[in-house]
Amino acid sequence: MSRILNLRILLLVISFSASVQSTKVLSEWKKCGDPECEKAMSRVQATTDYLGPDCRYLNFKTGEEIIVYSKLSRKNENLWTGSKGKDFGYFPRDAVKVEEVLIGEEVEVLTKETDFLCLHEDKYTFE
């Protein structure tokens, strides 16, 4: 009985750790095409296949087109956010090449806690 209880506690700790990781703030600042980060910044094409580490990341295959909406800045400049069809998430900037720039100037704004939650079918997922 004690072994089963220990196993359940271990699984609970692992589950909690995964939850904390999936809501971890990746950067306090981001660059956008407008102060609300609603304007598309650029159109890029994937130069490699990419499979993200968790549900906050955008998965794609080489050659797919992605629309970029923000770029993390200061602390974690390698991650951009964008969409591919209905999918939205973070991806490394070195996995894509810029095809078209859609804005004239970038605006730096503070990130929000909701920037780092998983979004599935228009609903936030709290793990």
Side-chain angles (χ1 to χ4, degrees), residues 66-89:
I66 301 163
I67 302 299
V68 177
Y69 287 93
S70 68
K71 303 172 182 179
L72 295 185
S73 61
R74 299 187 188 190
K75 179 181 174 184
N76 201 354
E77 294 184 354
N78 185 48
L79 289 177
W80 290 1
T81 48
S83 66
K84 175 188 68 124
K86 292 182 180 182
D87 298 328
F88 185 86

Side-chain angles (χ1 to χ4, degrees), residues 47-65:
T47 57
T48 186
D49 292 355
Y50 179 72
L51 181 61
D54 63 46
C55 58
R56 297 174 297 169
Y57 291 80
L58 181 67
N59 301 320
F60 49 80
K61 303 263 187 218
T62 302
E64 290 187 306
E65 184 177 286

